[in-house]
Amino acid sequence: MSIEVKTGFLWEPDNLYKSKSFLSLLTIAKKNGVPSYRQDPMTKKNLEKLQPQWSASTFQTFLKISVEESLKIESALQKQQQKIGSDAQAQTFIKNALEKHRYEQIQSFLSKVSAINVFHKIINKQTGNPLVAPCRWHTETPQLAFEVVKNSSGLAIETKVIFTNENLLLKDMQRTGFMLQYNSDWFVLSLKDSHTLDWLDKNPVSQYATEPELFSEKILTKLEENHAVNRNGLFNVNEIKQQPECSILFTELSNSFLMLTPRWNYDGFIVDGEWKEKEQKTQKGVQYIIYRNQDAEKDFVQYIQGLHADFPAQASRGFYFLSFANARKKQWFIKTFRELLNQNVEVAGLDMLQHFRYSPFDAATQIEIQKQTPTSIELHVKVSFGDEEVPILSIQKMLLNSQRNVLLKDDSIAFFSDEWIAQYALLFKHAVIYKNRMALPPWILFGQASEGNTDAILTQTLPDNWRQQWLNWQNDSLQIPIPKTIQTTLRPYQQKGFEWLVLLSKIEAGACLADDM
């Protein structure tokens, strides 16, 4: 009678996300060729019995993932859950913490897998019964890639698992959280990739299969944040070919240097770095190809290099820098800032700088009606930062140059907030300005009021009877008779359009309707 004994570890993937041990010790005894199995928990006592089989470092690794060490951490997480409550946010936090703990255990085990025998306990697909069999664990971390395909139902996603020497389709593998199985082989995904697959499971792509724009916006935009996605030419690509708007991004480097990075705005898309013919961007799921203008970018780079004697030697870096001392020497920064504004160069990042002077005040704006006619309104306007009043003509120039900051007399820079821009920019851009007065048609102010502007002055610019008619029109309680020369009966929407034109004409505002009205 012959007896053969083999020891190893039993991997039970079904327990990975349960309150059970997913690794245990396995002893296989073959008596006359017939195997019998004994499964023991990975306690420190049981590990010590097998210690002579392993090196000291391997033994210490197994001790760190023993039952006792696991219980310490998982019990602490359970106590923490009791303290922070059982709401959805708390449950998610604990779930993620437990997953991270078990992921770290798997990584520790994986580092020693070459020195041990590993078996897995899975379901036999033919019989439906549990099956214990040898398996192989691979230390290579596979990567995910996605491909858009089209089938009879519409658009779909095909997920590929990328290895050094081969690629597999996810649908041909079994997945348990961050663990992937292919026949007897096991692989460990990164947690980031595992969470991406979780997200796909919770957001089935089939709901957008026949809607390419939503498919791109809701699914591909998310996937493309961290993964390669082959769209297979199934989506429209917009091409942008135009002159760029030049800008400079100011940042601070290592708390010691002022850094200038040239950037170019192509129809709202910012690009920087070394020139290349095409730049691909995705916005709300829509793809854009930007054809960069080499001559325009080269001219701007040369312009920047002329701003300081140190810059030409830094050309190969793609950015330019000066020590804070050099940036302040002979008021270089202030003079350069003025030069950039005069050249209509957009300046970004100033609000993030810490070592240069900026006004701590918000813009205080006062508006008074000086004179009003049916076709024009004259306003007295005062804009101040602290005690300093800024000429409104300078503000108009700033806005027309797509800027939002001005230089004050003490060489500090004042910024206009998003709220101020939303409330007043339209007035400044369309006004005729002389000294501290501006003239503009009153209907512009009414348009501002319609957008929810809170400045009380904007509610005083139109006659009360007209405003009442406007409200009646919005409530469908206004009825303006059509001229007798019009020999027809207008449909309801045509009547509304006619009344709209009449109301606007009363305040000297021009308008037009679409031809299908």
Side-chain angles (χ1 to χ4, degrees), residues 423-487:
Q423 190 164 1
Y424 297 111
L426 185 66
L427 311 185
F428 279 79
K429 288 181 178 180
H430 290 276
V432 175
I433 292 178
Y434 50 98
K435 294 186 178 179
N436 59 353
R437 294 172 182 261
M438 61 168 60
L440 64 168
W443 57 265
I444 289 182
L445 294 179
F446 178 77
Q448 286 289 87
S450 299
E451 292 297 324
N453 202 311
T454 58
D455 197 312
I457 196 71
L458 302 180
T459 64
Q460 306 172 22
T461 58
L462 294 166
D464 290 340
N465 63 341
W466 188 92
R467 287 203 302 272
Q468 186 58 52
Q469 285 185 308
W470 179 257
L471 291 174
N472 292 341
W473 180 81
Q474 290 179 314
N475 296 328
D476 294 325
S477 59
L478 179 68
Q479 186 71 30
I480 299 177
I482 64 173
K484 294 180 180 180
T485 54
I486 299 179
Q487 301 297 317

Side-chain angles (χ1 to χ4, degrees), residues 10 12 14 23 25 33 90 134 243 287 289 309 329 349 377 384 386 433 483 490 506 510:
L10 181 64
E12 296 181 85
D14 288 345
L23 285 172
L25 295 170
Q243 283 287 113
Q287 281 190 314
I289 293 180
K329 188 180 294 183
I377 184 169
S384 303
I433 292 178
L490 297 183
K506 288 183 178 182

Side-chain angles (χ1 to χ4, degrees), residues 144-146 157-161 168-171 197 200:
L144 296 182
F146 301 91
I157 288 288
E158 193 171 73
T159 304
K160 294 183 178 180
V161 185
L168 296 173
L169 294 178
L170 182 65
K171 64 183 180 181
L197 296 178
L200 272 178

